[in-house]
Amino acid sequence: MSRRRIRGDEPWIARELAALRGPCPVRVDVRARVMAAIRAMPRPGLAPAAPGRWAAWAALAATVAMCAALGLAAGRLIDQRELLGELLRAGGPAAWDLVSAVRAIVSALAAGAWDTARPLATSCWRFATTRTEWIETGAAVLATAVVTAALAAAARLASRQAAVRIEER
Amino acid sequence: MDDRQGQDLVLIERALAGDAEAFGDLVSRYQNMVASVAWRFGTPRDEIEDLVAEVFLKVYRSLDRYRPEHPFSTWLYRVAQNEAVDRARRRRREAGRADELPETIAAPGQGAGRAMLADERARLLRQALAELPAHYREVLALVHFEEMRVEDAARALGIPEGTAKTRLMRGRRALGRLLARRWPDVFGDRA
């Protein structure tokens, strides 16, 4: 085998390919056909698929955010249960929820039992703070839902506007 | 950027702005080039018109993604080549083994037989080309069909000249091996 052949320089291939070079025997005129088809199509870059894709990304982001918020909320719930346990331990059976715990604190303070009232009040404060966070988490979930709805509405509007522009053309 | 390329760019911008006639001008300008690509890559005569229309519709749909760093004609050539190759593969799949090429070509008589043999060689060559990796096929097509110089083909494809040379050399070698291995009775004596 010659050195040229080893290097991949195959003159016979070049000759074979040259034989295919002849002009195409078919003359085509597809202008009218293509024009008719593109008149029924959205303008490049204005395809309705684009807002759809945008909405899909927005929905995905919103879902992730909602999952995170719900995860956070579940965490808070566990904290709350722990804190309720704390309340029970601190205030006894009388403090089985926040209202009864507050009532128990008031009773302890009235009786001058500061040592009983203080841990109960601390637990109550933490419980109340957690409840506030729980509300914040709920608000975050609600806000995410509102944003998702707004994005979906915007995507629908963009899609409708694209359709109107196509109609106008 | 040469005149033709500049004119193409103007037509593309107008088409993107909603001027369908501008895209029609691009169709008129390049439809026979696309038909030639289809023919060279083995598209049957009766399918060529369909393929050309389909290529232009694909190009129209993705016109906003065209990057003017490379000539429009090269981009179009690539789309046409891919479409022709895809259709050739689909045809072969659909035809199954019934359309598999014979291992041995029957010995033809003189005259008409020689023409038939040439047609058959061309058909096998087109089939082998369609099976090559796209990056080899592109350079081979531009250099051997369009008779571009390697540096021009490299520029059109947006690759370094050295890469184009390497792909050209490896592409020829791969094509030669493929032909000799698949149809030794037809091409074995050349490899």
Side-chain angles (χ1 to χ4, degrees):
Chain A
M1 190 178 275
S2 73
R3 197 177 156 79
R4 285 170 71 81
R5 179 70 53 82
I6 291 165
R7 284 175 54 238
D9 189 3
E10 313 257 5
W12 69 276
I13 287 289
R15 280 196 299 274
E16 295 282 357
L17 289 169
L20 293 186
R21 202 180 287 157
C24 172
V26 182
R27 302 298 292 174
V28 293
D29 189 1
V30 296
R31 181 177 174 138
R33 186 173 157 184
V34 172
M35 297 290 282
I38 65 173
R39 285 204 174 97
M41 284 163 62
R43 212 163 81 194
L46 284 183
R53 210 162 44 228
W54 182 52
W57 278 111
L60 180 68
T63 307
V64 170
M66 280 181 92
C67 285
L70 287 173
L72 213 64
R76 296 275 173 263
L77 205 61
I78 291 162
D79 283 354
Q80 276 193 335
R81 289 179 63 181
E82 281 174 5
L83 282 170
L84 275 174
E86 248 180 65
L87 276 178
L88 278 171
R89 278 194 299 278
W96 60 276
D97 70 355
L98 195 65
V99 178
S100 51
V102 171
R103 213 180 293 136
I105 293 167
V106 173
S107 307
L109 285 175
W114 179 243
D115 287 345
T116 307
R118 199 179 51 187
L120 204 53
T122 312
S123 294
C124 265
W125 173 248
R126 287 182 59 193
F127 186 77
T129 314
T130 315
R131 279 184 73 99
T132 309
E133 285 170 358
W134 167 245
I135 289 163
E136 280 171 2
T137 308
V141 171
L142 193 68
T144 311
V146 169
V147 169
T148 309
L151 282 173
R156 263 203 304 279
L157 185 69
S159 178
R160 209 171 302 141
Q161 280 173 347
V164 168
R165 277 199 294 270
I166 292 156
E167 283 289 311
E168 284 170 356
R169 282 174 63 219
Chain B
M1 190 182 291
D2 61 25
D3 267 4
R4 196 175 176 82
Q5 216 171 309
Q7 287 164 7
D8 287 349
L9 215 54
V10 172
L11 290 173
I12 291 165
E13 276 164 12
R14 277 173 47 202
L16 284 171
D19 181 354
E21 288 299 324
F23 191 76
D25 291 347
L26 283 170
V27 174
S28 299
R29 184 175 269 212
Y30 289 110
Q31 57 188 351
N32 284 309
M33 181 197 89
V34 175
S36 292
V37 175
W39 172 246
R40 283 166 191 163
F41 281 89
T43 306
R45 282 169 190 248
D46 57 343
E47 281 185 29
I48 287 180
E49 195 163 307
D50 271 354
L51 182 142
V52 175
E54 184 57 37
V55 165
F56 279 106
L57 291 181
K58 278 191 175 173
V59 163
Y60 183 77
R61 277 193 288 263
S62 48
L63 200 59
D64 58 319
R65 292 200 292 274
Y66 166 67
R67 294 284 162 268
E69 295 89 63
H70 305 300
F72 174 73
S73 56
T74 309
W75 185 52
L76 184 61
Y77 196 96
R78 226 174 223 190
V79 177
Q81 202 184 75
N82 291 341
E83 180 68 20
V85 167
D86 285 350
R87 283 184 178 221
R89 285 187 187 140
R90 224 176 300 145
R91 268 195 308 277
R92 272 206 305 282
R93 254 199 320 273
E94 281 163 11
R97 289 207 62 85
D99 193 40
E100 284 274 306
L101 294 154
E103 293 297 319
T104 308
I105 306 290
Q110 296 290 314
R114 201 171 297 139
M116 264 176 63
L117 188 61
D119 282 353
E120 193 57 22
R121 288 180 80 91
R123 192 168 77 87
L124 301 180
L125 188 58
R126 286 185 187 118
Q127 185 177 333
L129 262 177
E131 289 176 29
L132 279 188
H135 57 285
Y136 290 159
R137 196 172 55 232
E138 281 167 1
V139 188
L140 284 173
L142 290 181
V143 172
H144 290 288
F145 295 160
E146 303 309 316
E147 299 180 80
M148 279 188 185
R149 289 179 308 167
V150 180
E151 54 263 45
D152 293 335
R155 203 173 306 127
L157 292 169
I159 55 176
E161 193 183 328
T163 307
K165 279 183 181 162
T166 307
R167 287 183 186 176
L168 188 62
M169 185 191 77
R170 289 185 181 161
R172 279 187 199 139
R173 187 163 52 192
L175 187 60
R177 281 183 183 162
L178 185 63
L179 290 169
R181 194 178 61 236
R182 189 78 63 82
W183 303 289
D185 294 336
V186 186
F187 296 101
D189 58 322
R190 315 302 296 269

